[in-house]
Amino acid sequence: MRMVDLIAKKRDGKELTTEEINFFIDGYTKGDIPDYQVSAMNMAIYFQDMSDRERADLTMAMVNSGETIDLSAIEGIKVDKHSTGGVGDTTTLVLAPLVAALDIPVAKMSGRGLGHTGGTIDKLESIEGFHVEISKDEFVNLVNQHKIAVIGQTGNLTPADKKLYALRDVTATVNSIPLIASSIMSKKIAAGSDAIVLDVKTGAGAFMKTVEDAKELAHAMVSIGNNVGRKTMAVISDMSQPLGAAIGNSLEVQEAIDALRGQGPKDLEELCLALGRQMVYLAQKADSLEDAEEKLKEVIRNGKALEKFKEFIQNQGGDPSVVDHPDRLPKAQYLIELPAQQDGVVAELVADEIGTAAMLLGAGRATKESEIDLAVGLMLNKKVGDAVKKGDSLVTIHANRENVDDVKQKLYESIRIADHADAPVLIYDIVTE
Ligand code: URA
Ligand code: CA
């Protein structure tokens, strides 16, 4: 088999066989096939697309390029949740204990954040003592005993994806549905769960800027998952404005605690229930989605979800007293208000711009090596659709420096106040096939 023939075949719009896709991915991972041929192949895929069968084969070839996580020692149906990324997305912190409180195993491998705000691990590390450097055995034991544990990224998962993604980044081939879908799904499948709930974001703060594009990506990922034997479904949710009120690591932990008490921001609670009910249903712990949602609400009402969060913190070396005393979380030195400059209605809170403002404060990483400040961030006091009077605080800036003029300027540029605003939509669609 010669790579040049496979490139020509795809260039001419034909379907690659399973063997051909395996040859291409194996050869590239081992270094036998050079970057320039793979660049040409990616561009051919970009223009000619791939069939559902090719997409599933490409995904599995990437899964098989490295190690995979075996979760079979954990009892029950393991359901993972994955978000395509957003600003102030606190859902994982809420959903993990919420779902575990219903005896559904949550075995989460997580990364650190790059960009806008921290990742789930960064957020959890704002709890004194909390650590994710646990052994594989300890991880499995914790999930079996307590239904919940988080471990840092271990092993050499999907090396083919790492190489391909870096190459796509510099050859204008990131934005291709088959390539994005196989990239994301290969990592989820290698991480070992039985079922996957995807939160595909759309809007300014998301990878997919339009609802149509988000739907297409969701269909592609759901189809891959189901074709390779992992039950998969997707919720398409809004990321034109940040989710909830808090953006920043310890602020989001506090927001998650509020949500687990049933006192979180409305949009965050609504999205957590929408994702959570799919997780409970896929885990076969409810007869219907309505039943699943009722069960989730019940563990919020009776305090079991909050208890589960404390148990989880304790198990991984953290101080569970932060749940009842959130003032024990890292606190910023200065709280600075951002006053509205006119009367009106908030028409836009551009998510990615607001994420950048939080990053200026030190809440996110510009490069993998950057240190982040767990205490700083933003609290949105108004969301899209809220009426404001001149002088009302739009945002409370939690900073560890006194002068935040750069952050204020960025925020003013990203918040639009008008005479009226369309009611924001939170959930656009549910994709199950
Ligand atoms: N995120 C990924 O993991 N892969 C892509 O291709 C795009 C976004
Ligand atoms: Ca939030």
Side-chain angles (χ1 to χ4, degrees), residues 87-90 242-247 252 255 265 268:
V87 178
D89 184 358
T90 317
L243 187 65
I247 302 152
E252 288 186 55
E255 181 171 66
L268 175 62

Coordinates of all heavy atoms in Angstrom, one line a residue, residues 87-90 242-247 252 255 265 268, ligand 2:
V87 N -17.0 29.1 28.4 CA -16.5 30.0 29.4 C -17.4 29.9 30.7 O -18.6 30.0 30.6 CB -16.6 31.5 28.8 CG1 -16.1 32.5 29.9 CG2 -15.8 31.6 27.6
G88 N -16.7 29.7 31.8 CA -17.5 29.5 33.0 C -18.3 28.3 33.1 O -19.4 28.3 33.7
D89 N -17.9 27.3 32.4 CA -18.8 26.0 32.3 C -18.5 25.2 33.5 O -17.6 24.4 33.6 CB -18.4 25.3 31.0 CG -19.3 24.0 30.9 OD1 -20.2 23.8 31.8 OD2 -19.2 23.3 29.9
T90 N -19.4 25.3 34.5 CA -19.3 24.7 35.8 C -20.0 23.4 35.9 O -20.1 22.8 36.9 CB -19.8 25.7 36.9 OG1 -19.4 27.0 36.6 CG2 -19.4 25.4 38.3
P242 N -21.5 33.5 28.8 CA -21.0 32.5 29.7 C -22.1 31.8 30.5 O -23.2 32.4 30.6 CB -20.1 33.3 30.7 CG -19.8 34.6 30.0 CD -21.0 34.9 29.1
L243 N -21.8 30.6 31.0 CA -22.8 29.8 31.7 C -22.8 30.2 33.2 O -21.7 30.2 33.8 CB -22.6 28.3 31.5 CG -23.6 27.4 32.1 CD1 -24.9 27.5 31.3 CD2 -23.1 25.9 32.0
G244 N -23.9 30.4 33.8 CA -24.0 30.8 35.2 C -23.5 32.2 35.4 O -23.4 33.0 34.5
A245 N -23.0 32.4 36.6 CA -22.5 33.8 37.0 C -21.0 33.8 37.2 O -20.3 34.8 36.9 CB -23.2 34.3 38.2
A246 N -20.5 32.7 37.7 CA -19.1 32.6 38.1 C -18.1 32.2 36.9 O -18.4 31.3 36.2 CB -18.9 31.7 39.2
I247 N -17.0 32.9 36.8 CA -16.0 32.6 35.8 C -14.7 32.7 36.6 O -14.3 33.8 37.0 CB -15.9 33.5 34.6 CG1 -17.3 33.5 33.9 CG2 -14.8 33.1 33.6 CD1 -17.6 34.8 33.2
E252 N -16.0 29.3 40.8 CA -16.9 28.2 40.2 C -17.1 27.1 41.1 O -18.2 26.4 41.1 CB -16.3 27.7 38.8 CG -16.4 28.8 37.7 CD -16.0 28.3 36.4 OE1 -16.5 27.2 35.9 OE2 -15.2 28.9 35.8
E255 N -19.9 28.3 43.1 CA -21.1 28.2 42.3 C -21.7 26.8 42.2 O -22.9 26.6 42.2 CB -20.8 28.8 40.9 CG -22.0 28.8 40.0 CD -21.7 29.5 38.6 OE1 -20.9 29.1 37.9 OE2 -22.3 30.6 38.4
P265 N -27.3 29.4 39.7 CA -27.9 30.2 38.7 C -28.9 29.3 37.8 O -28.6 28.1 37.6 CB -26.8 30.7 37.8 CG -25.5 30.5 38.7 CD -25.9 29.4 39.7
L268 N -27.4 27.4 34.7 CA -26.5 26.3 35.1 C -27.3 25.1 35.5 O -27.1 24.0 35.2 CB -25.5 26.8 36.2 CG -24.6 25.7 36.7 CD1 -23.7 25.1 35.7 CD2 -23.8 26.3 37.9
Ligands
CA2 CA -20.2 29.5 35.7

